[in-house]
């Protein structure tokens, strides 16, 4: 049976092929059998360079830069992690506000809010027989529960359960009261593991504390001999979900820009307003009205000043490195909840301040390692800015090394 399963995996990968640039994860350890082979360990990340004439083998590049042939049955494709939309989550609204939204509804109309009496917990509010029942959702041991019998990883899982069965509630959850304005998202940590984004804790050694933040500490770590920064979140479900959701949006967006970079296409208008989030929570880079080949120069023209790199504004010199500057601004937008960049500086003075060395401060709650990416993206010397390939690897490490 084991051989059959491996053979099916082999055929799916070998015959279907993997396009160059596809990221894969090692299923098992592999010791090189020849000088052409690439040795790796279970959980290692590699990128397909090209298929070979033998469907059993692929040429791949390890994250440490080594390149060689790998057996197809030893790896699987690294998948994206989708966010779960929570249209029924209303955040910090009062008990009275929740009752106003629900009282006139049918049985099973519901919403979830943050608990006012028990900070850190949530409240499930359900309409039943023209009354509103309030159920405390207790956060304990990194899980959520109402009755201390059924436990859930996040709010989405809890709501899904009671939508299928009342299971002790006054009624089954039937219809949500949608929140006005921006939605919040949750992420299944198990989905990160299945998609190949989780590292084995045994491979990670923790060292000294590098910094402390609102949601947790940043420690120096060593992952298979390589120095890394490790974010350890405090015992707070909301903080963990927020971090994972933000990491997903940043990494899907960066992956899209890495693709454009590989095709030598310059977007020239990268900003939060041009990143769309689907109903499944997948980020898509959009609005290519200003996109051009990397060698393209344009004299004159109007561009979004607060998002555009100085060399692009002054000399119409656009490149993937000017897109990286814009990506840094986009990260700042994400962590400032959509505020307009350079909020205290008049538009006409932005370039002058930037050229003199001014850089926006880190938004409140922004992890120091993410702000460091912003700082690198905003280097006046475009050659010193990272590539999207480099930033994507860094963001993937941040996401997979979050404990």
């Amino acid at each position: 049976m084991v051989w059959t399963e491996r053979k099916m995996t082999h055929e799916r990968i070998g015959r279907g092929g993997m396009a160059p640039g596809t990221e894969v994860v090692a299923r098992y350890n592999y010791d090189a059998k020849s000088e052409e082979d690439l040795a790796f360990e279970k959980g290692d990340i590699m990128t397909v360079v090209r298929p070979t004439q033998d469907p059993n083998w692929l040429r791949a590049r390890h994250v440490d830069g080594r390149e060689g042939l790998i057996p197809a049955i030893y790896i699987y494709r690294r998948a994206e992690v989708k966010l779960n939309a929570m249209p029924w989550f209303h955040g910090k609204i009062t008990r009275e506000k929740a009752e106003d939204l629900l009282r006139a509804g049918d049985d099973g109309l519901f919403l979830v809010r943050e608990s006012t009496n028990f900070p850190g917990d949530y409240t499930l509010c359900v309409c039943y027989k023209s009354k509103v029942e309030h159920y405390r959702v207790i956060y304990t041991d990194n899980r959520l529960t109402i009755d201390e019998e059924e436990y859930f990883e996040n709010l989405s899982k809890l709501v899904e359960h009671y939508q299928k069965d009342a299971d002790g509630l006054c009624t089954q959850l039937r219809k949500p009261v949608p929140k006005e304005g921006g939605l919040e998202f949750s992420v299944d940590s198990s989905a990160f593991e299945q998609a190949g984004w989780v590292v084995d804790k045994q491979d990670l050694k923790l060292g000294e504390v590098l910094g402390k933040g609102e949601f947790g500490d940043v420690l120096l770590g060593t992952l298979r001999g390589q120095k890394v920064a490790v974010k350890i979140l405090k015992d707070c479900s909301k903080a963990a979900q927020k971090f994972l959701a933000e990491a997903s949006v940043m990494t899907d967006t960066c992956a899209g820009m890495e693709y454009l970079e590989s095709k030598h296409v310059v977007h020239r208008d990268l900003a939060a307003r041009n990143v769309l989030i689907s109903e499944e929570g997948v980020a898509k880079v959009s609005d290519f009205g200003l996109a051009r080949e990397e060698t393209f120069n344009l004299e004159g023209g109007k561009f979004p000043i607060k998002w555009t790199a100085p060399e692009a504004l002054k000399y119409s010199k656009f490149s993937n490195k000017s897109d990286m500057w814009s990506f840094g601004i986009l990260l700042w937008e994400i962590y400032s909840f959509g505020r307009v960049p350079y909020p205290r500086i008049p538009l006409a003075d932005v370039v002058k301040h930037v050229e003199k060395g001014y850089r926006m401060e880190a938004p409140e709650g922004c992890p120091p390692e993410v702000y460091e990416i912003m700082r690198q993206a905003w280097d006046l010397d475009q050659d010193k800015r990272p590539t999207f390939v480099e930033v994507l690897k860094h963001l993937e490490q941040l996401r997979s090394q979050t404990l």
Side-chain angles (χ1 to χ4, degrees):
M1 183 63 181
V2 174
W3 165 247
T4 302
E5 290 177 350
R6 289 189 180 182
K7 185 177 180 181
M8 290 176 61
T9 303
H10 171 133
E11 291 177 346
R12 182 173 63 253
I13 296 176
R15 294 179 182 177
M18 287 193 182
T22 301
E23 285 199 333
V24 296
V25 185
R27 293 182 185 275
Y28 322 102
N29 294 344
Y30 178 70
D31 296 324
K33 303 297 189 296
S34 71
E35 293 183 355
E36 293 184 328
D37 289 1
L38 173 62
F40 52 80
E41 296 181 1
K42 179 181 178 181
D44 282 1
I45 307 300
M46 294 165 283
T47 303
V48 174
V49 176
R50 64 174 181 273
T52 68
Q53 292 182 344
D54 185 345
N56 300 335
W57 295 84
L58 298 165
R59 188 166 186 83
R61 182 170 55 252
H62 197 277
V63 290
D64 62 12
R66 294 180 296 118
E67 192 171 308
L69 298 177
I70 62 173
I73 62 172
Y74 276 58
I75 53 96
Y76 64 95
R77 188 190 304 269
R78 201 179 200 186
E80 64 183 18
V81 178
K82 296 182 179 180
L83 305 182
N84 303 313
M86 301 191 296
W88 32 259
F89 184 68
H90 288 244
K92 294 182 179 179
I93 63 171
T94 64
R95 181 188 181 100
E96 291 73 24
K97 175 65 174 177
E99 292 181 346
D100 288 341
L101 292 171
L102 292 167
R103 188 175 288 113
D106 297 329
D107 289 356
L109 188 68
F110 74 96
L111 61 82
V112 179
R113 60 183 174 87
E114 294 183 34
S115 175
T116 52
N117 295 329
F118 303 94
D121 290 347
Y122 302 97
T123 303
L124 171 63
C125 309
V126 188
C127 182
Y128 182 63
K129 293 185 177 179
S130 300
K131 293 183 179 180
V132 178
E133 300 291 339
H134 299 265
Y135 295 91
R136 179 186 175 189
V137 181
I138 304 170
Y139 175 67
T140 178
D141 296 330
N142 291 317
R143 295 183 301 171
L144 300 169
T145 183
I146 289 178
D147 56 12
E148 297 187 78
E149 294 183 2
E150 295 281 354
Y151 289 84
F152 306 93
E153 181 183 349
N154 56 43
L155 284 174
S156 294
K157 294 291 186 182
L158 182 145
V159 168
E160 287 175 9
H161 175 80
Y162 290 107
Q163 284 179 318
K164 296 175 183 177
D165 190 334
D167 196 17
L169 301 186
C170 60
T171 181
Q172 180 181 350
L173 304 183
R174 300 186 184 280
K175 182 180 178 181
V177 176
K179 176 191 175 186
E180 296 181 358
L183 298 182
E184 294 203 32
F185 298 88
S186 68
V187 182
D188 298 337
S189 60
S190 59
F192 277 86
E193 184 173 3
Q194 295 169 6
W197 296 101
V198 177
V199 299
D200 192 331
K201 288 185 179 181
Q202 295 179 350
D203 296 334
L204 184 65
K205 296 181 179 179
L206 300 179
E208 62 184 290
V209 176
L210 300 177
K212 293 181 176 290
E214 178 184 358
F215 296 134
D217 299 338
V218 178
L219 279 67
L220 176 65
T222 304
L223 179 64
R224 302 189 188 113
Q226 182 180 8
K227 286 187 177 181
V228 295
V230 182
K231 180 86 169 185
I232 298 184
L233 298 179
K234 294 177 181 177
D235 190 25
C236 175
S237 175
K238 184 180 179 182
Q241 287 295 315
K242 184 174 183 291
F243 183 91
L244 292 175
E246 289 168 343
S248 293
V249 172
M250 289 188 297
T251 308
D252 294 349
T253 304
C254 190
M257 293 305 299
E258 181 203 19
Y259 177 78
L260 294 183
E261 185 178 63
S262 70
K263 300 298 182 182
H264 306 290
V265 173
V266 182
H267 190 283
R268 302 200 306 170
D269 194 14
L270 181 60
R273 61 182 174 275
N274 291 331
V275 176
L276 308 180
I277 307 296
S278 70
E279 291 183 359
E280 295 79 20
V282 178
K284 300 289 185 181
V285 179
S286 69
D287 198 342
F288 291 84
L290 296 178
R292 297 291 189 276
E293 292 182 3
E294 189 173 13
T295 56
F296 183 89
N297 279 338
L298 179 67
E299 297 298 329
K302 295 182 179 180
F303 299 99
I305 291 176
K306 292 188 174 184
W307 285 264
T308 306
E311 73 275 7
L313 288 172
K314 294 186 67 175
Y315 309 112
S316 296
K317 188 176 181 181
F318 289 89
S319 67
N320 294 125
K321 292 302 183 77
S322 61
D323 275 350
M324 176 52 66
W325 178 287
S326 303
F327 183 72
I329 302 295
L330 184 148
L331 293 182
W332 188 91
E333 290 182 278
I334 290 175
Y335 279 93
S336 61
F337 301 98
R339 293 182 65 196
V340 176
Y342 305 102
R344 294 180 294 275
I345 300 179
L347 185 63
D349 296 335
V350 169
V351 177
K352 178 176 63 178
H353 280 74
V354 168
E355 289 180 334
K356 289 182 178 180
Y358 173 79
R359 298 295 183 271
M360 290 186 288
E361 297 179 355
E364 184 178 355
C366 176
E369 56 270 41
V370 175
Y371 183 60
E372 179 58 27
I373 294 176
M374 298 182 204
R375 296 282 301 183
Q376 294 175 8
W378 297 334
D379 198 304
L380 282 178
D381 185 348
Q382 63 173 349
D383 293 332
K384 293 182 180 179
R385 297 173 202 158
T387 65
F388 282 100
V389 172
E390 294 168 339
V391 171
L392 181 59
K393 289 180 179 178
H394 192 178
L395 290 174
E396 289 170 348
Q397 286 180 344
L398 293 180
R399 180 160 65 174
S400 63
Q401 291 156 15
T402 301
L403 302 181

